[in-house]
């Protein structure tokens, strides 16, 4: 039986692997459906990880993490985990063909921002299109950018960008916003945030250098207009990879939020003893590499304490 099963090989899962193995756990396996590294490997640049001065591609940035983790005995299996269930005081990890038993489990399956499906999105993703203002806002300092969306994330990120950028134009398909009224009020009070509603985004324009504009139309008039911007931030939802916690009867193995995130305490404990969650999958995640790594370390320390006191 494994001491710790880690599901997901992004920053949270890899850090959990480093801390559990280095902390003395013997049988630790990280299950990752693809190559380890997580969603950041799809990013062309990361420059906000403390201590790393160079601006690196996400892929290059994550490369040494794997080498470091495996040095202390972490084993990795390329497997797509289908489900985790609990039997007596241990867990069963179900993959498509096999099952594995583990005394404790750290769920670090992350998630991903939803795509808008607008023409030009795939072509310019990472070259003027971003889904993270905290990550990429700085690249547009003093410039004009647009934000697509009307939820809390979209308006909070528009506020963040308004501190860095010359002008932020928020495009939303409805007149009403899902964002909290107080956040919306703050955004509406900002001189450099303009709201365009109800509008539909038609196309993202650009050239070899990246995005240089967008085409949109008002829903009622259908008249197409052009906005010249170098950056478009898209916030049309976020999917958390929580399917593995779904049980055969449709319930979840542990307590979840309405948005499908795992509820944890500050030690990354779920309400099920021996089950921990870390990174973007958990409630109120900051959705940053440094935070996911911190969660992974905290979850690992909690798992080590659980093994010592309960098994
Ligand atoms: C384009 C982009 C740019 C970003 N830029 C920055 C930035 O500049 N700075 C920053 O701090 N953050 C950035 N982020 C956010 C950052 O990538 C995430 O916050 C971070 O990767 C979360 O780490 P995680 O380990 O929780 O999850 P993830 O990175 O999502 O890793 C989860 C892993 O679990 C695996 N997995 C999922 N389900 C299963 C399953 N059933 N079985 C097996 N494996 C599974 C996935 O394949 C994945 O590898 C960016 C994100 C994106 C998308």
């Amino acid at each position: 039986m494994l001491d710790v099963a880690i599901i997901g090989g992004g920053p949270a899962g890899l850090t959990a692997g480093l801390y559990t193995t280095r902390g003395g756990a013997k049988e630790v396996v990280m299950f990752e459906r693809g190559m380890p590294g997580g969603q950041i490997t799809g990013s062309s640049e990361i420059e906000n990880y403390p201590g790393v001065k160079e601006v690196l591609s996400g892929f290059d940035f994550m490369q040494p993490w794997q080498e470091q983790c495996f040095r202390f005995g972490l084993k990795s299996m390329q497997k797509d985990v289908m489900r985790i269930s609990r039997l007596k005081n241990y867990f069963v990890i179900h993959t498509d063909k096999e099952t594995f038993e583990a005394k404790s489990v750290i769920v670090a399956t992350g998630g991903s921002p939803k795509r808008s499906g607008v023409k030009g999105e795939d072509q310019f993703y990472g070259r003027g299109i971003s889904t993270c203002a905290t990550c990429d806002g700085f690249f547009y300092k003093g410039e004009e950018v647009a934000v697509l969306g009307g939820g809390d994330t979209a308006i909070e990120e528009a506020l963040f960008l308004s501190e860095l950028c010359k002008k932020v134009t928020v495009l939303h398909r409805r007149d009403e916003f899902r964002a909290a009224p107080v956040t919306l009020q703050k955004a509406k009070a900002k001189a450099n945030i303009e709201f365009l509603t109800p509008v539909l985004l038609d196309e993202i324009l650009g050239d070899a250098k990246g995005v240089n504009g967008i085409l949109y139309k008002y829903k009622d008039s259908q008249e197409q207009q052009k906005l010249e911007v170098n950056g478009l931030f898209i916030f049309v939802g976020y999917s958390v990879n929580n399917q593995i916690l779904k049980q055969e009867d449709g319930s979840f193995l542990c307590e979840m939020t309405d948005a499908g995130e795992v509820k944890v305490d500050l030690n990354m404990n779920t309400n099920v003893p021996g089950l921990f969650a870390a990174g973007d999958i958990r409630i109120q995640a900051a959705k940053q590499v440094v935070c996911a790594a911190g969660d992974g370390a905290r979850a690992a320390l909690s798992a080590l304490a659980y093994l010592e006191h309960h098994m």
Side-chain angles (χ1 to χ4, degrees):
M1 183 175 300
L2 304 176
D3 285 328
V4 189
I6 298 167
I7 323 296
L14 284 163
T15 309
L18 173 66
Y19 272 70
T20 44
T21 50
R22 198 165 174 274
K26 292 282 172 286
E27 287 298 319
V28 185
V29 172
M30 186 181 79
F31 296 87
E32 167 56 57
R33 59 157 69 121
M35 291 298 288
Q39 26 171 326
I40 191 68
T41 55
S43 169
S44 55
E45 282 174 322
I46 171 161
E47 65 166 11
N48 63 354
Y49 196 83
V52 181
K53 284 189 292 174
E54 304 82 15
V55 181
L56 297 173
S57 73
F59 186 83
D60 289 341
F61 173 77
M62 290 309 295
Q63 207 54 38
W65 290 47
Q66 302 175 39
E67 291 164 24
Q68 185 185 15
C69 294
F70 297 137
R71 189 154 28 110
F72 296 100
L74 175 67
K75 292 176 197 127
S76 175
M77 286 194 192
Q78 191 167 10
K79 302 235 178 260
D80 199 350
V81 174
M82 303 294 164
R83 183 162 53 90
I84 304 167
S85 56
R86 186 162 168 85
L87 275 183
K88 297 177 191 149
N89 67 340
Y90 65 93
F91 297 89
V92 182
I93 318 298
H94 305 258
T95 69
D96 50 352
K97 293 197 181 78
E98 300 152 277
T99 56
F100 300 83
E101 291 174 356
K103 293 176 192 167
S104 65
V105 175
I106 298 174
V107 179
T109 42
S112 47
K114 285 185 187 158
R115 298 282 183 111
S116 70
V118 169
K119 193 173 169 200
E121 186 179 37
D122 289 343
Q123 192 184 349
F124 295 111
Y125 199 82
R127 294 195 301 127
I129 299 179
S130 170
T131 48
C132 177
T134 320
C135 313
D136 298 328
F138 191 77
F139 299 120
Y140 301 92
K141 201 170 178 195
E143 296 184 21
E144 298 198 8
V145 297
V147 165
L148 182 68
D152 280 312
T153 311
I155 307 306
E156 280 165 21
E157 299 284 71
L159 276 165
F160 180 89
L161 290 166
S162 72
E163 298 297 324
L164 295 167
C165 303
K166 190 167 145 199
K167 186 174 173 198
V168 181
T169 305
V170 177
L171 297 99
H172 182 41
R173 63 194 160 133
R174 280 191 278 268
D175 279 328
E176 308 78 40
F177 286 80
R178 274 180 295 109
V182 59
T183 317
L184 194 59
Q185 233 170 16
K186 265 194 219 162
K188 288 201 163 160
K190 285 269 176 181
N192 64 341
I193 300 185
E194 186 184 350
F195 286 86
L196 299 180
T197 66
V199 297
L200 296 173
L201 186 60
D202 279 338
E203 189 176 345
I204 301 155
L205 308 170
D207 56 24
K209 286 194 210 137
V211 170
N212 57 24
I214 53 176
L215 294 178
Y216 66 93
K217 62 171 171 284
Y218 279 93
K219 263 177 157 178
D220 37 12
S221 70
Q222 295 287 310
E223 187 194 327
Q224 199 172 58
Q225 311 216 16
K226 185 177 172 187
L227 181 70
E228 287 184 11
V229 283
N230 295 327
L232 172 66
F233 289 79
I234 298 178
F235 305 107
V236 291
Y238 189 84
S239 310
V240 272
N241 298 324
N242 62 14
Q243 303 84 342
I244 62 168
L245 292 165
K246 231 182 198 160
Q247 304 301 286
E248 280 172 317
D249 65 1
S251 67
F252 281 101
L253 178 59
C254 59
E255 280 180 14
M256 313 287 284
T257 66
D258 290 344
E261 305 137 334
V262 181
K263 285 190 186 173
V264 289
D265 65 14
L266 290 176
N267 293 327
M268 305 302 137
N269 292 298
T270 67
N271 66 317
V272 176
L275 181 69
F276 310 90
D280 282 13
I281 183 80
R282 64 114 157 147
I283 185 171
Q284 290 180 358
K287 300 195 177 72
Q288 291 291 286
V289 173
V290 66
C291 303
D295 282 2
R298 183 60 261 185
L301 297 174
S302 297
L304 291 171
Y306 174 80
L307 292 172
E308 191 181 334
H309 299 299
H310 299 281
M311 298 302 287

